[in-house]
Amino acid sequence: MSNIQSVLEEKRLFPPSAEFSAKARLDKDKLAALRAEAEKDPVGFWAELARRNIAWQTPFRTVLDDSQAPNYRWFTDGRTNASANCLDRHLGTKGDKIAIRFEGDKGDTKTWTYRALHAEVCKLANGLKSLGVTKGDRVVLYMPHTPEAVMAMQACARIGAVHSIVFGGFSSGSLRDRIEDAGAKVVITADGNSRGGNIIELKKAVNEALSSGCKSVEKVVVLKRSGHDVAFDAKRDVWWHELLAKQSSNCDPEWVESEHPLFLLYTSGSTGKPKGIQHSTGGYLLGAHMSCLWVFDLQDSDVFWCTADVGWVTGHTYVGYGPLSCGATILMFEGVPTWPDAGRFWKVAQDHGVTIFYTAPTAIRALMKLGEEPPAKYDLSKLRLLGSVGEPINPEAWMWYHRVIGKEKLPIVDTWWQTETGAIMMSPIPGATATKPGSCTQPLPGIFADVVDEAGEAIKSVEAGGYLVITKPWPAMLRTIWGDNERYIKTYFGQFPGKNLYVAGDSTHRDKDGYYWIMGRIDDVLNVSGHRLGTMEIESALVSHPRVAEAAVVGRPHEVKGESVFAFVTCKGARPQGEEADKLLKELREHVGKEIGALAKPDDIRFSDNLPKTRSGKIMRRLLRSIAKGEEITQDISTLENPAIVSQLQGKA
Ligand code: WTA
């Protein structure tokens, strides 16, 4: 509850600047008008937007089919193609406009116009067809954050193949699980790439994944990026440049039904393995497109830099699809914020004339720690809008962003959404909404949110926290979990039977102005540097080590990462102590890195004889969370089977 208290004390209010509002797509009045329209007729509201903003090959007549709710279907009889919307429709008017500016880790740069991007995408699409990929086939992308990743997404979309991107920081084991779950026919990867000066061994991980399973994979397309030697299977692998050399730069888009899956993206949940979140074509594209116009106020002259990797949903919606569907210029940067020095992000922003900058609180906090000098060295005067996504932004980081990067002038859009929601759900509208540091303010037009209690009843009181729910379907929502529709229904609509509420898994509260303050996950999902990790996944990775008997993982607040992984572990045999414990600790961290990926490595591991359980055998996670935070234990531990272990868990014995 201390969290609720602290945000309640946040009284600062930053009204939109008159200068920004005057040029913005939406000012206060226009936003109010949109909201009113959406409230009067939510379905009609989305229908009208879809007609005006998406290029349909066959117009839809059915807007929302809720006959199988909560499996909602939108624009069902319409046909469209995501790649045609992002590329072809701009060729006549913006063919020579730069679509993508790129800077590599080592400073190499390159640009693609819409025409050039279209040609590359067509060649790759034809290349994929020549490998036997057809509509509905799954293609896994395990790629560096370079324009070729966007080309690969667009090429899949173009021929109706379903892409599933696996973030390049995931281990070969995680990659294998995702390839197998998706039943992918083709994998697209690169030899490797450089990030922060380190080589990322992408092809090596693909080779490992395929040698331990993945029977569905027939071909691997390999982009030459790092140029270092990699093991190449001439029967299975094909170089990207050789594949494209033979292809025509024209490829008619495959017109798919609006509900045709555009992509799967695996994300962590409270239980079991990561789930393949399945998105549609038409509805998803509409959400991506409208949110770019409303939230980022995208204008023809903008250079939009979303720093998220294509491996996360933010990199899908705000790199791969949304801004391109608006005909904007995007910047992609392969590297990390602080390599080779603390000013890299700001140098990149300056050199490419970035006007809109969208990043994660963890990056802002890391940059904040490096002081005000690095950004002061660069000319950031082209910036006109700042954004944040991925986790709650603490007011201190918000104020730094506002003061040091925004020079106290630029609007900040704190955008709340999820892999499952497809596009931004709550955010200030920069020319219209007065912002409060730490609040994502209000739902976008056409999105209906609420705060409910344990029984699913709306909470009216402004002090009380509760579950964040979405009360009406929206076009960009996930359609199902790949191969497990029951899990979809149970996870997102099962919490309050009969109420038909989408449960986000976040807790929130709403203040007297109707502003939302997200307080974090209420399920067993951690948010480490803006990356979602299930505690269960990390626990099973730990338990797969031969020395580990049982493990419980919780989050601990962390200055830069937001949350860090804290593991309590019991071992087979005697509890390790001293040097043996140090050695095992290192080994377990590496083991988790190998099983899941470096991002999941625990910062803390504590060994104890048992884990704290109630007499019914449930692990007391609340107690472990307090211990991880180093809090005084005030809660009742009399139900503990073995109260003596508390001091071991605290690292005192
Ligand atoms: C958290 C990322 C507070 C939240 C787009 C959500 C946020 C989870 C915000 C989804 C925000 C994201 N303020 N919390 N502005 N944005 N979150 O699926 O807990 O990687 O449920 O999608 O991140 O993470 P995901």
Side-chain angles (χ1 to χ4, degrees):
M1 289 295 134
S2 60
N3 201 350
I4 303 183
Q5 225 32 58
S6 72
V7 293
L8 273 182
E9 281 156 17
E10 180 55 68
K11 294 264 162 52
R12 289 170 288 207
L13 188 70
F14 296 87
S17 83
E19 195 192 333
F20 194 101
S21 302
K23 294 186 199 146
R25 286 179 183 275
L26 294 182
D27 60 13
K28 241 176 144 178
D29 295 341
K30 286 189 191 140
L31 176 61
L34 273 183
R35 287 224 158 95
E37 230 178 280
E39 250 150 64
K40 214 169 72 205
D41 176 12
V43 174
F45 172 75
W46 284 116
E48 191 52 28
L49 292 174
R51 278 186 205 109
R52 277 201 249 134
N53 291 279
I54 302 295
W56 299 94
Q57 185 249 7
T58 310
F60 59 88
R61 271 165 304 165
T62 307
V63 184
L64 171 64
D65 172 359
D66 58 4
S67 60
Q68 288 164 61
N71 287 111
Y72 295 99
R73 294 145 49 86
W74 288 84
F75 318 125
T76 41
D77 47 2
R79 278 179 181 267
T80 185
N81 179 287
S83 173
N85 270 274
C86 292
L87 304 173
D88 307 42
R89 73 160 146 172
H90 307 309
L91 291 183
T93 49
K94 297 183 177 183
D96 296 322
K97 178 176 175 172
I98 292 178
I100 306 186
R101 305 182 65 99
F102 172 65
E103 178 162 331
D105 192 50
K106 294 177 175 160
D108 50 311
T109 59
K110 196 169 171 182
T111 57
W112 282 264
T113 62
Y114 269 93
R115 201 179 316 284
L117 183 62
H118 174 264
E120 286 303 295
V121 168
C122 285
K123 282 192 227 168
L124 181 60
N126 284 327
L128 291 174
K129 279 198 209 167
S130 76
L131 300 179
V133 179
T134 57
K135 182 181 170 191
D137 284 343
R138 274 81 59 211
V139 176
V140 163
L141 276 48
Y142 187 66
M143 298 194 68
H145 188 66
T146 62
E148 288 82 1
V150 172
M151 292 170 198
M153 297 162 87
Q154 291 281 340
C156 289
R158 197 156 189 92
I159 61 175
V162 181
H163 62 72
S164 173
I165 309 191
V166 180
F167 172 57
F170 278 117
S171 68
S172 60
S174 297
L175 174 62
R176 181 199 53 224
D177 293 348
R178 286 159 174 77
I179 292 173
E180 289 191 336
D181 191 81
K185 193 176 201 174
V186 165
V187 174
I188 308 181
T189 188
D191 44 1
N193 76 311
S194 170
R195 246 174 85 79
N198 300 314
I199 281 277
I200 311 293
E201 296 276 3
L202 296 168
K203 179 62 163 57
K204 190 167 165 233
V206 170
N207 289 347
E208 277 169 21
L210 298 197
S211 68
S212 64
C214 308
K215 294 285 165 270
S216 61
V217 175
E218 294 170 13
K219 288 282 176 189
V220 179
V221 179
V222 190
L223 173 76
K224 205 176 223 116
R225 172 75 188 139
S226 60
H228 76 307
D229 271 343
V230 289
F232 201 84
D233 174 345
K235 277 215 284 297
R236 183 196 68 195
D237 302 344
V238 33
W239 287 108
W240 172 296
H241 57 274
E242 288 177 7
L243 178 68
L244 267 63
K246 295 172 265 174
Q247 304 301 334
S248 148
S249 53
N250 265 315
C251 173
D252 287 339
E254 172 86 31
W255 299 106
V256 297
E257 317 77 67
S258 187
E259 281 296 310
H260 182 69
L262 179 60
F263 66 85
L264 310 178
L265 182 59
Y266 284 81
T267 191
S268 300
S270 327
T271 53
K273 292 212 164 191
K275 43 197 180 190
I277 301 301
Q278 179 180 321
H279 278 288
S280 71
T281 300
Y284 169 80
L285 206 59
L286 182 62
H289 187 87
M290 294 322 300
S291 56
C292 279
L293 298 180
W294 290 341
V295 176
F296 297 114
D297 187 46
L298 262 190
Q299 309 270 359
D300 199 39
S301 53
D302 276 317
V303 177
F304 180 64
W305 184 15
C306 164
T307 69
D309 190 279
V310 286
W312 307 108
V313 75
T314 308
H316 283 62
T317 308
Y318 299 105
V319 179
Y321 291 109
L324 296 178
S325 78
C326 300
T329 298
I330 61 166
L331 168 70
M332 291 180 76
F333 170 56
E334 187 185 23
V336 300
T338 52
W339 187 85
D341 63 48
R344 184 68 187 274
F345 251 24
W346 313 123
K347 182 172 188 319
V348 169
Q350 166 193 278
D351 292 354
H352 295 272
V354 170
T355 60
I356 304 173
F357 178 68
Y358 185 37
T359 196
T362 183
I364 299 168
R365 287 190 297 265
L367 292 161
M368 179 169 92
K369 280 189 87 171
L370 298 169
E372 299 181 21
E373 267 166 45
K377 281 206 264 180
Y378 299 97
D379 176 7
L380 301 177
S381 59
K382 289 232 170 85
L383 283 177
R384 65 178 196 96
L385 175 60
L386 304 174
S388 168
V389 61
E391 43 172 325
I393 178 165
N394 47 312
E396 193 197 351
W398 196 101
M399 287 306 298
W400 185 87
Y401 204 26
H402 167 71
R403 187 172 56 78
V404 179
I405 308 305
K407 310 283 190 272
E408 299 185 352
K409 280 196 331 247
L410 306 189
I412 297 181
V413 288
D414 173 2
T415 63
W416 177 86
W417 60 295
Q418 312 178 291
T419 304
E420 292 88 340
T421 68
I424 294 170
M425 300 291 278
M426 294 205 263
S427 169
I429 299 300
T433 314
T435 53
K436 303 181 188 185
S439 168
C440 59
T441 74
Q442 292 183 304
L444 298 188
I447 302 297
F448 299 87
D450 207 349
V451 193
V452 303
D453 64 16
E454 296 285 338
E457 296 297 332
I459 293 179
K460 297 280 181 263
S461 145
V462 294
E463 278 94 23
Y467 295 86
L468 171 60
V469 295
I470 308 297
T471 59
K472 289 186 172 51
W474 66 103
M477 70 191 295
L478 77 164
R479 293 306 192 256
T480 185
I481 292 173
W482 180 254
D484 199 348
N485 195 48
E486 238 165 79
R487 191 174 171 199
Y488 161 78
I489 295 171
K490 191 161 158 255
T491 307
Y492 302 107
F493 292 90
Q495 184 129 356
F496 308 114
K499 290 203 187 277
N500 221 20
L501 298 171
Y502 170 87
V503 179
D506 282 322
S507 62
T508 188
H509 98 279
R510 206 171 33 204
D511 69 16
K512 62 176 186 355
D513 300 322
Y515 279 32
Y516 284 78
W517 299 80
I518 307 291
M519 292 168 326
R521 302 286 308 191
I522 26 178
D523 50 11
D524 292 321
V525 174
L526 304 183
N527 193 328
V528 179
S529 302
H531 301 152
R532 269 169 74 168
L533 291 167
T535 52
M536 264 267 311
E537 282 165 74
I538 309 175
E539 285 163 8
S540 42
L542 285 165
V543 174
S544 72
H545 186 279
R547 277 296 314 272
V548 175
E550 211 179 2
V553 164
V554 297
R556 174 169 76 83
H558 186 282
E559 215 191 329
V560 174
K561 299 182 189 178
E563 211 169 8
S564 71
V565 177
F566 198 124
F568 296 90
V569 169
T570 66
C571 287
K572 293 173 188 154
R575 174 163 69 105
Q577 309 219 25
E579 255 176 55
E580 194 204 349
D582 291 344
K583 198 171 146 256
L584 184 58
L585 198 143
K586 278 202 199 100
E587 221 177 283
L588 290 179
R589 293 191 73 234
E590 288 314 307
H591 181 72
V592 173
K594 229 180 122 246
E595 290 290 309
I596 303 176
L599 69 169
K601 284 184 185 175
D603 275 17
D604 301 89
I605 298 180
R606 219 163 258 170
F607 298 109
S608 65
D609 289 326
N610 349 81
L611 294 178
K613 289 188 188 155
T614 60
R615 295 216 167 91
S616 62
K618 272 184 95 165
I619 294 181
M620 297 173 76
R621 284 175 189 277
R622 212 153 58 89
L623 174 68
L624 292 178
R625 273 185 220 118
S626 302
I627 292 174
K629 280 190 203 158
E631 287 174 354
E632 196 82 38
I633 303 305
T634 50
Q635 48 194 280
D636 180 14
I637 51 170
S638 60
T639 53
L640 263 186
E641 207 179 333
N642 174 9
I645 57 157
V646 170
S647 60
Q648 274 183 18
L649 297 165
Q650 289 172 317
K652 291 183 188 157

